[in-house]
Amino acid sequence: MEDVARETGITKSSLYYHVSSKEELLSRALERAFKWLLGVLDEPGAQSGTPLERLRHIVYRGVIITLAFVQEVELLQRVKGNTPTEREAMMRRRRFDSEVAKIVREAIAAGQVDASIDARLLTRLIFGLGNSLTQWYRPDGRLRPEQIAEAVSHLIFEGVTRRN
Amino acid sequence: MEDVARETGITKSSLYYHVSSKEELLSRALERAFKWLLGVLDEPGAQSGTPLERLRHIVYRGVIITLAFVQEVELLQRVKGNTPTEREAMMRRRRFDSEVAKIVREAIAAGQVDASIDARLLTRLIFGLGNSLTQWYRPDGRLRPEQIAEAVSHLIFEGVTRRN
């Protein structure tokens, strides 16, 4: 809390007026990440269309949200279940993962996604790729979020090999 | 050092007989990771063939090595440059990255890889995907390293969309 007070330039007592503890600070940041990430699943593009179309929508929008809330998503990744807030976050993260895994399986069943890749593994790779963005992305960097979301989608769905 | 002694069941003085410090322990683990990862670039498959063939070889073998030395590679990812050992590791990691980036650019120039994705971004995504494996892979898990390396290669080069 002392670090936060110093960084934001307010006194520690002012900070405690707004948030009661470090735990609450974490809880609020995770709340923001979930509100937006889980929100993607409720968007029209994730609700209608073929499984492949829905999956494409979730990947693209998931990247956009990850980049817009890069610090919150990074926190979410680090959660290990040490406190009630962290355990709650892990449960919601798992629910998000399994919703996406379900759509992956539907896309495979519909013959739209290659059945040679194991569905759970594929879901993990998609999340791994999306999560890795927080390691290097800087909002003031050279690439716009839309460019990155396009590239990630292209990699996942079309692959990089050029076909003639 | 105390934790390492406890975990390995040897006395602290025996441990110090073999390694002089925590720094040396880290240095040896990183050395192992680099020996194998950089070794991939010297393999025949990475040295001959078209740029796309060489890139495919590096991705496949990079995954195999990452999974075989998952703890060492995880350490390598966490290095932040706080000590001389860490700074040395960061330099070697950058050299590895730029070698791969060079082959990506060659594959684009040869018309084998889609030019619509920025080469530096593509290199980052490939490394991001490979590095994400350390987050969940367990040697005693359900999937064999070869299956995972196949799936990662398939995702990167062919994408998951089924073509009829």
Side-chain angles (χ1 to χ4, degrees):
Chain A
M1 293 292 270
E2 218 164 294
D3 293 341
V4 173
R6 198 185 329 106
E7 284 285 320
T8 52
I10 60 176
T11 64
K12 236 173 109 179
S13 60
S14 301
L15 179 59
Y16 274 109
Y17 179 79
H18 294 285
V19 282
S20 62
S21 63
K22 210 170 75 174
E23 186 85 355
E24 193 194 327
L25 216 53
L26 174 66
S27 165
R28 286 208 202 172
L30 294 178
E31 200 49 59
R32 249 187 331 265
F34 277 121
K35 187 188 150 197
W36 287 95
L37 281 176
L38 292 171
V40 168
L41 299 179
D42 293 327
E43 290 173 355
Q47 292 283 333
S48 63
T50 67
L52 183 61
E53 284 163 353
R54 292 160 59 209
L55 193 58
R56 275 181 182 277
H57 178 87
I58 292 165
V59 167
Y60 186 92
R61 289 282 301 149
V63 171
I64 296 287
I65 298 296
T66 297
L67 300 180
F69 297 91
V70 68
Q71 290 175 311
E72 286 87 347
V73 174
E74 206 183 343
L75 272 179
L76 189 56
Q77 291 170 11
R78 289 204 207 156
V79 152
K80 295 268 180 274
N82 296 326
T83 64
T85 302
E86 294 199 9
R87 280 189 286 278
E88 163 76 17
M90 284 178 77
M91 269 176 50
R92 297 179 77 180
R93 201 172 60 185
R94 266 198 290 271
R95 224 178 305 145
F96 183 62
D97 290 8
S98 68
E99 287 280 325
V100 177
K102 195 171 144 256
I103 303 175
V104 168
R105 285 195 302 272
E106 285 173 24
I108 292 175
Q112 296 185 300
V113 158
D114 203 309
S116 70
I117 307 182
D118 179 87
R120 258 167 72 194
L121 175 56
L122 179 54
T123 309
R124 279 204 161 131
L125 296 180
I126 292 174
F127 276 101
L129 184 54
N131 284 332
S132 73
L133 302 175
T134 63
Q135 302 303 304
W136 57 266
Y137 177 71
R138 295 293 165 269
D140 56 354
R142 183 175 65 90
L143 299 158
R144 281 174 303 108
E146 292 76 16
Q147 266 178 294
I148 299 172
E150 272 299 337
V152 170
S153 297
H154 194 87
L155 188 66
I156 292 174
F157 296 104
E158 275 75 47
V160 303
T161 309
R162 198 172 144 203
R163 272 169 283 274
N164 298 310
Chain B
M1 293 293 271
E2 215 163 298
D3 293 341
V4 173
R6 199 184 331 105
E7 284 286 318
T8 51
I10 61 176
T11 64
K12 237 172 107 177
S13 62
S14 300
L15 180 59
Y16 274 109
Y17 179 79
H18 295 287
V19 282
S20 64
S21 63
K22 210 168 76 174
E23 186 85 354
E24 193 192 327
L25 216 53
L26 174 65
S27 164
R28 287 210 202 172
L30 295 177
E31 199 49 57
R32 252 191 323 268
F34 277 120
K35 188 189 149 195
W36 287 94
L37 281 176
L38 292 170
V40 169
L41 300 178
D42 294 327
E43 291 173 354
Q47 293 282 335
S48 64
T50 68
L52 182 61
E53 284 163 352
R54 291 159 60 208
L55 193 58
R56 276 181 182 277
H57 178 87
I58 292 165
V59 166
Y60 186 93
R61 289 283 300 151
V63 171
I64 296 287
I65 299 296
T66 297
L67 300 180
F69 297 91
V70 68
Q71 291 176 311
E72 287 86 348
V73 174
E74 206 183 343
L75 273 178
L76 189 56
Q77 291 169 11
R78 290 204 206 155
V79 152
K80 296 266 180 279
N82 297 325
T83 62
T85 302
E86 293 198 9
R87 281 189 286 278
E88 163 76 16
M90 284 178 77
M91 270 177 49
R92 298 180 77 179
R93 201 171 61 184
R94 267 199 289 273
R95 223 178 306 146
F96 184 61
D97 289 9
S98 68
E99 287 280 325
V100 177
K102 196 171 143 252
I103 303 176
V104 168
R105 285 194 303 272
E106 286 173 22
I108 291 175
Q112 296 186 301
V113 159
D114 204 310
S116 70
I117 308 182
D118 179 87
R120 259 167 70 192
L121 175 56
L122 179 54
T123 309
R124 279 200 161 135
L125 296 179
I126 292 173
F127 276 101
L129 184 54
N131 284 332
S132 74
L133 303 176
T134 62
Q135 301 302 305
W136 57 266
Y137 177 71
R138 294 292 166 268
D140 56 354
R142 182 176 64 90
L143 299 159
R144 280 174 303 108
E146 292 75 17
Q147 267 178 293
I148 300 172
E150 273 299 337
V152 170
S153 297
H154 194 86
L155 189 66
I156 292 174
F157 296 104
E158 274 76 48
V160 303
T161 309
R162 199 173 143 199
R163 271 168 285 273
N164 299 310

Coordinates of all heavy atoms in Angstrom, one line a residue, chain A residues 2 4 29 42 91 117 120 127 154 156 160:
Chain A
E2 N 2.0 1.2 0.7 CA 2.9 2.3 0.7 C 3.4 2.6 -0.7 O 3.5 3.8 -1.1 CB 4.1 1.9 1.6 CG 4.6 3.1 2.5 CD 5.5 2.6 3.6 OE1 5.0 1.9 4.5 OE2 6.7 2.9 3.6
V4 N 1.9 2.0 -3.5 CA 0.8 2.6 -4.3 C 0.7 4.0 -4.0 O 0.5 4.9 -4.8 CB -0.5 1.8 -4.1 CG1 -1.6 2.5 -4.7 CG2 -0.4 0.4 -4.6
A29 N -9.0 -4.8 -9.3 CA -8.3 -4.9 -10.5 C -8.7 -6.1 -11.3 O -9.0 -6.1 -12.5 CB -6.7 -4.9 -10.3
D42 N -20.4 -12.6 -24.0 CA -21.8 -12.2 -24.1 C -22.1 -11.3 -25.3 O -23.2 -10.9 -25.6 CB -22.2 -11.4 -22.8 CG -22.3 -12.3 -21.6 OD1 -22.6 -13.5 -21.8 OD2 -22.0 -11.8 -20.5
M91 N -11.3 -19.6 -10.0 CA -12.6 -20.2 -10.4 C -13.2 -19.6 -11.6 O -13.6 -20.2 -12.5 CB -13.6 -20.2 -9.2 CG -13.5 -21.4 -8.3 SD -14.6 -21.3 -6.9 CE -16.2 -20.8 -7.8
I117 N -5.8 -31.9 -33.9 CA -5.2 -31.3 -32.7 C -6.2 -31.6 -31.5 O -7.4 -31.3 -31.7 CB -5.0 -29.8 -32.8 CG1 -4.1 -29.4 -34.0 CG2 -4.3 -29.2 -31.5 CD1 -3.8 -27.9 -34.2
R120 N -8.4 -29.8 -25.9 CA -7.9 -29.2 -24.7 C -6.6 -28.5 -24.9 O -6.3 -27.4 -24.5 CB -7.8 -30.2 -23.6 CG -9.0 -30.1 -22.6 CD -9.0 -31.3 -21.7 NE -7.9 -31.3 -20.7 CZ -7.6 -32.4 -20.0 NH1 -8.2 -33.6 -20.2 NH2 -6.6 -32.4 -19.1
F127 N -4.9 -19.8 -25.4 CA -4.8 -18.9 -24.2 C -3.3 -18.6 -24.0 O -3.0 -17.4 -23.6 CB -5.4 -19.6 -23.0 CG -6.8 -19.4 -22.8 CD1 -7.7 -20.4 -23.2 CD2 -7.3 -18.2 -22.3 CE1 -9.1 -20.2 -23.0 CE2 -8.7 -18.0 -22.2 CZ -9.6 -19.0 -22.5
H154 N -4.8 -14.4 -37.4 CA -4.3 -15.0 -38.6 C -3.4 -16.2 -38.3 O -3.6 -17.3 -38.9 CB -3.5 -14.0 -39.4 CG -3.2 -14.4 -40.8 ND1 -4.0 -14.1 -41.8 CD2 -2.1 -15.0 -41.3 CE1 -3.5 -14.6 -42.9 NE2 -2.4 -15.1 -42.6
I156 N -3.5 -18.2 -35.6 CA -4.3 -19.3 -35.1 C -5.2 -19.9 -36.2 O -5.2 -21.1 -36.3 CB -5.2 -18.8 -33.9 CG1 -4.3 -18.4 -32.7 CG2 -6.2 -19.9 -33.5 CD1 -5.1 -17.8 -31.5
V160 N 0.8 -19.3 -40.8 CA 1.6 -18.3 -41.5 C 2.1 -18.7 -42.9 O 2.6 -17.9 -43.7 CB 2.9 -17.8 -40.7 CG1 2.4 -17.4 -39.3 CG2 3.9 -19.0 -40.5

